[in-house]
Amino acid sequence: MLAHLTSSMGWNWATLIVVVLILAAVVAFAWSWRAMHREASSRPPTALMFGVPVVAAAAAFGAWFTADEWDWLLADGTVRSNGADAPPVEVAEGSERFVLVDGSQVTYRIDERLGGSDSTAVGTTTVLAGEIAVDRETPSDSVLGTIVVNVERFESDSTLRDKRIRHDFLESTEYPYATFVPTSVEGLPDRSTDGQRIPVEITGDLTVKETTATETFGGWVRIDDDRLTAEMSTTVLMSTYDVGPIAISGLVSTSDEVELTFSLVAVPSGAVDELDEFELAGDPAPIDTTQPAATSAPDDAAAAPTTTVEPAYDTARFSAAVLPTIETHCASCHVPGGPGAATVEFATIGDVAAVAADIALVTESRYMPPWTASDLSVDFEHDWSLSDEQIAEIAAWAEADGAVDVEPSTGLEPRNAIVVPLDADVTVAAEPYTGSVDQRDDYRCQIYEMPPADDTRWITGYTIVPDQVEIVHHAIFFRADAAVMDDARALDARDEAPGWPCFGLAGLRGTEQIGGWAPGQQPKTYAEGSGIRMEPGDFLVTQIHYHYDHDAPADESALDVEFADADQVAAADGAFDDVVVTTYLAPAEIPCRDDESGPLCDRATVIADIRDKFGDFAAIIPDGLIAQCGADLEAMMADTDGVGYASCDHRASAYGEIVGVLGHMHEFGETFRMTLNPGTADEQILLDIPNWAFEWQFDYRPIDSIVVGPGDVIRVECTWDRSLAPMPEPRHITWNEGTEDEMCYSTLSTVDR
């Protein structure tokens, strides 16, 4: 209803939120005014009485002032721009103005590996504008004007691909237009050649997002009567314009090279007004992204003989076999307002049917639902993965073009809460921190003070709530003794920004890691009678890894904490079982391939670069892990095929029942495995991830009781592939803090019962 109201009034969600905040500010001022005139004994605290309206007014003003920058984040991921306009070309005497008309288009072609198969992705936009000053008698005097292309309107055979490219790579909601400004045209003759294809080479400045680079297109142009047609192509590097290569682990990876083809149709500007057959390019009808595209029948379809073909798919199977899977495994995440709605929203059955082929692809590749642990792992709670039978049923349904046996407008009913909210007792927000793009990987620690307490208490659940999700790479938090608060405040006071730089650990004695957050993680809760011990005066320190690309917005990430209540403590006879988090690491060394070269392919140079960026502690990590694990660095350095492997065996350093298993790598990660007592009769693969996905890093909880004791061995194994993530400059990859570095990092959470 609200969505309909905002649409009918010409509003968007940002406008609505601003209005609500303004109303809230008015109410807050009215409340404060009335409170000031009460008896002194019944007035609220002065800070509250004046602070509430001031905060409300500040929020309303801030939302209004910045609405044009953040309102697109609240959109549903569909196309928002419509049309394209180009500046007029200068027409000299003897030349005639031609304008691009319907039939013009720009196409991209790129090699990709999608769902385990090699293919070519093709996307087209027909929304572009431009003018040409055509000199028929002396074609070499013709001038091609600026061409403006609406890249937000690129459409391929996959709605999900289009949305992902718009949101994460082209960022075309913010940068909807690309431009090509020709600087030279070679090959046009000095005499008229009507009706002939003329080979040409056109050089100019191509601008995509915020990058402009010189590109040269090769192709042909032809003038027939009152129509000009042309086609020109070139191959560009996506990395030049910061739009790729695209790498989504477990789903798709692309080459860096993309072929761009401009197919142009232009007519004299006067013909557009005089003849109905011409329509200007750049003025499309709105795209309906919620329904599958209709397929046109051939012109002679009516005359073709009709035959009766038995349907290959019984549409009743949709309600019986497909819909229950969608509502159980997909709907709760992709319903309006859900965490997956920005990628694709499932409000109705029709929304699901519209992307049937995409659903088949992501389920067959097991990219969705997001469950990276394989069947080799122990059994875990909240397993969202699909069975082979469910995947086959979805594939058959997609082959039938998403046929359904219910009204498409029927709403979905989520049957399973994939993301379980935390019943937080305390929310602690950090002070807003603003980094700099000059420090692309920034680790910042801040103090998170807990409400005062007189007795021991236990954290039974937590979740880190990232504020600026586009820059928060991951977060770790530590419990700190009350005795080191003065030391923490001294670190905090070293510079004007809140907190302190903390590459590696917290940089503070008397701390122990007790939790963390990485993309995809859900709120963490512990079993009844167990939790993280907090003594009076203890506080938390949170280390956040920020990764900046183009912008460094102020971040105000928060921590939600749930404490055991009095009844729970009483039921445990006043003392909970302590949860302990232990860390197990392995080295990471992935040399440059034989076909790569550059100064950063030298390991010593990379470690010196790490020291400059992150300090001495970070620089000793690579060799420290090699020594700790007894790894053969020489053998690892000799492996130059672009794929790296490392393992490390550790004696268990904390004992008890396992209540959490987590693996962590960066974007070159390919596989991860953690094994308890490898090579023995008691061997158990605790966690096996055959296709690492940086976006889905879960803290898995075993269903069965698995106890780690003295003498047990924990083996950690990781593999990496240099081709899985873009690398602007070839670089030896080693274990470290930067996004272009790697990790083989894991934790076990145990309870000593």
Side-chain angles (χ1 to χ4, degrees):
M1 181 177 178
L2 280 175
H4 176 72
L5 176 64
T6 57
S7 174
S8 63
M9 297 183 67
W11 292 4
N12 57 26
W13 280 107
T15 306
L16 181 62
I17 291 172
V18 170
V19 171
V20 170
L21 287 174
I22 291 174
L23 292 175
V26 171
V27 171
F29 274 105
W31 171 81
S32 179
W33 177 262
R34 294 186 63 183
M36 291 172 58
H37 291 79
R38 295 182 189 170
E39 294 292 333
S41 59
S42 62
R43 290 177 191 166
T46 302
L48 185 65
M49 191 164 55
F50 289 98
V52 168
V54 169
V55 170
F61 177 79
W64 170 76
F65 188 76
T66 62
D68 61 340
E69 298 181 13
W70 55 264
D71 63 346
W72 66 275
L73 292 171
L74 304 174
D76 61 1
T78 55
V79 173
R80 296 184 59 193
S81 60
N82 193 39
D85 294 299
V89 69
E90 184 175 343
V91 181
E93 185 177 351
S95 296
E96 186 177 359
R97 185 187 307 276
F98 276 54
V99 295
L100 299 185
V101 293
D102 189 35
S104 299
Q105 64 181 34
V106 176
T107 302
Y108 71 76
R109 288 179 175 83
I110 186 167
D111 292 334
E112 67 179 8
R113 186 164 183 80
L114 181 64
S117 301
D118 293 328
S119 60
T120 300
V122 180
T124 300
T125 177
T126 59
V127 187
L128 63 158
E131 297 184 354
I132 308 167
V134 176
D135 190 319
R136 296 176 184 271
E137 297 301 321
T138 312
S140 59
D141 290 337
S142 299
V143 177
L144 174 62
T146 297
I147 299 177
V148 177
V149 181
N150 188 322
V151 295
E152 194 183 16
R153 307 283 301 203
F154 268 122
E155 292 183 81
S156 69
D157 61 350
S158 169
T159 300
L160 294 184
R161 177 196 286 118
D162 298 340
K163 284 191 173 185
R164 192 65 180 262
I165 289 175
R166 282 198 297 268
H167 185 269
D168 291 345
F169 298 98
L170 280 173
E171 299 179 77
S172 53
T173 306
E174 188 171 357
Y175 307 103
Y177 299 105
T179 61
F180 180 65
V181 182
T183 55
S184 69
V185 179
E186 302 292 336
L188 292 177
D190 294 331
R191 292 189 300 176
S192 175
T193 54
D194 274 6
Q196 299 180 23
R197 283 191 177 186
I198 306 168
V200 294
E201 189 173 86
I202 302 174
T203 299
D205 295 329
L206 178 65
T207 300
V208 181
K209 289 168 65 171
E210 297 179 310
T211 301
T212 300
T214 300
E215 305 287 357
T216 298
F217 289 77
W220 54 266
V221 62
R222 180 174 63 194
I223 299 178
D224 294 300
D225 298 327
D226 284 334
R227 181 187 294 261
L228 179 149
T229 54
E231 185 170 297
M232 53 187 189
S233 300
T234 192
T235 298
V236 304
L237 299 180
M238 291 197 293
S239 56
T240 300
Y241 302 94
D242 191 33
V243 297
I246 296 171
I248 303 174
S249 182
L251 180 63
V252 62
S253 61
T254 71
S255 67
D256 193 13
E257 295 183 342
V258 57
E259 181 187 78
L260 294 178
T261 300
F262 284 68
S263 301
L264 308 179
V265 179
V267 300
S269 57
V272 177
D273 300 326
E274 297 172 3
L275 301 175
D276 293 337
E277 65 177 295
F278 295 123
E279 292 184 6
L280 279 174
D283 293 315
I287 294 177
D288 181 1
T289 60
T290 63
Q291 298 296 331
T295 301
S296 300
D299 294 339
D300 59 350
T306 59
T307 57
T308 301
V309 179
E310 292 296 323
Y313 182 84
D314 179 3
T315 56
R317 286 167 58 186
F318 174 76
S319 289
V322 176
L323 183 57
T325 298
I326 298 294
E327 292 187 329
T328 301
H329 294 265
C330 311
S332 65
C333 189
H334 289 282
V335 292
T343 302
V344 61
E345 185 176 274
F346 293 158
T348 67
I349 301 296
D351 294 338
V352 176
V355 291
D358 292 308
I359 294 174
L361 172 66
V362 297
T363 54
E364 197 165 13
S365 65
R366 297 191 181 274
Y367 180 73
M368 285 283 151
W371 187 260
T372 57
S374 78
D375 292 340
L376 295 177
S377 311
V378 299
D379 292 333
F380 296 118
E381 295 179 359
H382 308 300
D383 187 342
W384 308 332
S385 60
L386 301 181
S387 67
D388 292 342
E389 291 76 17
Q390 288 173 309
I391 293 172
E393 190 65 46
I394 290 173
W397 167 67
E399 284 289 328
D401 296 326
V404 299
D405 57 342
V406 293
E407 175 59 42
S409 61
T410 304
L412 291 182
E413 297 182 8
R415 303 187 184 189
N416 183 28
I418 288 182
V419 177
V420 181
L422 188 75
D423 185 15
D425 298 304
V426 176
T427 297
V428 189
E431 293 185 63
Y433 173 68
T434 304
S436 169
V437 293
D438 294 333
Q439 177 76 55
R440 290 174 63 85
D441 288 288
D442 187 0
Y443 282 68
R444 198 74 179 179
C445 284
Q446 288 202 52
I447 299 168
Y448 282 57
E449 291 192 63
M450 295 290 100
D454 297 326
D455 300 310
T456 301
R457 54 187 168 173
W458 284 268
I459 294 176
T460 57
Y462 70 84
T463 185
I464 290 177
V465 184
D467 176 26
Q468 302 290 337
V469 293
E470 69 276 14
I471 62 172
V472 178
H473 184 279
H474 72 259
I476 295 174
F477 66 94
F478 305 81
R479 186 197 64 80
D481 293 336
V484 299
M485 175 59 86
D486 289 343
D487 294 342
R489 294 199 187 284
L491 288 171
D492 194 5
R494 287 185 177 181
D495 59 37
E496 294 181 356
W500 62 93
C502 53
F503 301 105
L505 301 175
L508 182 68
R509 64 181 178 86
T511 61
E512 63 172 329
Q513 181 180 333
I514 59 174
W517 175 90
Q521 280 199 29
Q522 292 193 72
K524 179 75 173 180
T525 57
Y526 295 113
E528 186 175 345
S530 62
I532 297 170
R533 181 188 296 265
M534 296 285 290
E535 299 294 350
D538 286 354
F539 60 100
L540 301 179
V541 173
T542 297
Q543 177 204 65
I544 297 180
H545 174 187
Y546 296 106
H547 178 69
Y548 304 113
D549 282 325
H550 305 291
D551 195 15
D555 178 68
E556 200 170 353
S557 293
L559 176 67
D560 285 348
V561 178
E562 180 182 85
F563 288 107
D565 60 31
D567 291 340
Q568 291 172 316
V569 174
D573 295 327
F576 269 40
D577 295 322
D578 292 324
V579 175
V580 177
V581 179
T582 49
T583 302
Y584 300 96
L585 313 177
E589 301 288 341
I590 311 100
C592 289
R593 296 190 306 267
D594 291 329
D595 61 347
E596 294 177 309
S597 62
L600 291 177
C601 284
D602 178 65
R603 184 175 186 268
T605 302
V606 166
I607 291 178
D609 179 58
I610 288 170
R611 177 176 284 105
D612 290 341
K613 291 190 295 187
F614 306 134
D616 291 339
F617 178 79
I620 67 174
I621 293 176
D623 287 334
L625 287 175
I626 293 290
Q628 179 186 3
C629 297
D632 187 341
L633 178 59
E634 185 177 346
M636 298 174 81
M637 292 294 294
D639 193 356
T640 56
D641 61 355
V643 177
Y645 166 81
S647 69
C648 191
D649 288 357
H650 300 264
R651 290 288 180 182
S653 56
Y655 311 136
E657 182 180 347
I658 298 174
V659 295
V661 186
L662 176 139
H664 173 71
M665 295 188 289
H666 291 176
E667 296 178 351
F668 298 101
E670 184 175 36
T671 69
F672 175 90
R673 180 176 290 184
M674 180 190 287
T675 307
L676 176 62
N677 295 321
T680 72
D682 298 326
E683 176 179 300
Q684 284 183 287
I685 298 177
L686 298 179
L687 177 59
D688 176 69
I689 300 177
N691 293 293
W692 174 257
F694 181 81
E695 298 169 304
W696 304 108
Q697 301 182 52
F698 300 131
D699 193 352
Y700 295 90
R701 177 181 291 178
I703 292 176
D704 299 327
S705 177
I706 303 172
V707 177
V708 176
D712 283 339
V713 173
I714 308 295
R715 174 176 292 172
V716 182
E717 301 173 88
C718 294
T719 66
W720 305 269
D721 186 339
R722 296 176 63 87
S723 68
L724 293 177
M727 186 178 294
E729 180 181 4
R731 177 187 181 92
H732 176 92
I733 300 170
T734 188
W735 207 107
N736 229 273
E737 309 284 3
T739 303
E740 72 272 24
D741 304 314
E742 260 303 343
M743 290 187 178
C744 185
Y745 175 103
S746 61
T747 63
L748 280 184
S749 299
T750 55
V751 175
D752 190 6
R753 301 191 185 280

